[in-house]
Amino acid sequence: MKRLTVDELLERARSRLERLSPADARAAQDAGALLIDLRSHDERVREGVITGSLHVPRSVLEWRLDPTSPHSNPRACNLEQRVVLVCADGYSSSLAAATLQELGRDNATDMVGGFRAWRREGLPVVDAPPEPDDPPGMGHPFPSADGRG
């Protein structure tokens, strides 16, 4: 197998994605897509979070979104639901979305420019919640459906 550079790997991943602008990601979320924030808890505390996003650290993403995994998050395993991944700048989210597609999540994609682009466009950001007691990636979207976080 030919060795790829990281830029080639990224280009290959993105060629399979219908990447969304921050405004399109927000519209997708309003239409029922699940926004998944891949950033670390520290980044989220420092920069804030997208309302209604689910925090799933990159390190456990595949296990939380594969419904056959014994470590899946039931809130993120609907294979029909569109998934939009968000990282800090829109690089690791592209690689992660391509991996999710390999797991059968054909509707997985990411957001161009990541969280920082969302923030630059003036879209809503709230303070991060405290780190949950649950294992990483097993919580509810924030704030929760009842609006309490």
Side-chain angles (χ1 to χ4, degrees):
M1 179 183 266
K2 177 188 180 257
R3 181 188 179 284
L4 298 175
T5 67
V6 71
D7 289 336
E8 290 168 331
L9 187 62
L10 185 61
E11 182 180 331
R12 179 184 286 181
R14 286 179 172 171
S15 72
R16 298 177 8 209
L17 303 175
E18 293 180 28
R19 301 183 76 215
L20 302 179
S21 70
D24 289 339
R26 181 167 190 201
Q29 184 184 34
D30 290 344
L34 178 61
L35 266 61
I36 297 180
D37 189 340
L38 303 174
R39 297 173 303 140
S40 72
H41 178 70
D42 290 344
E43 287 176 292
R44 292 163 45 86
V45 166
R46 190 171 49 250
E47 299 178 3
V49 298
I50 297 169
T51 301
S53 64
L54 175 65
H55 182 223
V56 180
R58 176 65 189 98
S59 60
V60 296
L61 179 70
E62 291 83 358
W63 288 268
R64 299 301 184 249
L65 271 72
D66 180 353
T68 68
S69 168
H71 307 288
S72 65
N73 182 333
R75 295 164 211 66
C77 285
N78 176 354
L79 295 177
E80 303 303 315
Q81 185 178 29
R82 189 171 199 186
V83 171
V84 181
L85 302 181
V86 179
C87 66
D89 294 301
Y91 293 96
S92 61
S93 58
S94 294
L95 297 173
T99 301
L100 288 181
Q101 287 185 353
E102 290 180 25
L103 286 174
R105 301 294 302 243
D106 297 334
N107 55 9
T109 192
D110 78 323
M111 186 171 71
V112 176
F115 179 81
R116 291 182 181 131
W118 177 281
R119 188 167 209 150
R120 276 192 307 272
E121 290 195 19
L123 295 169
V125 173
V126 296
D127 289 339
E131 194 161 18
D133 293 332
D134 297 327
M138 292 300 287
H140 293 272
F142 179 79
S144 61
D146 63 10
R148 292 181 295 165

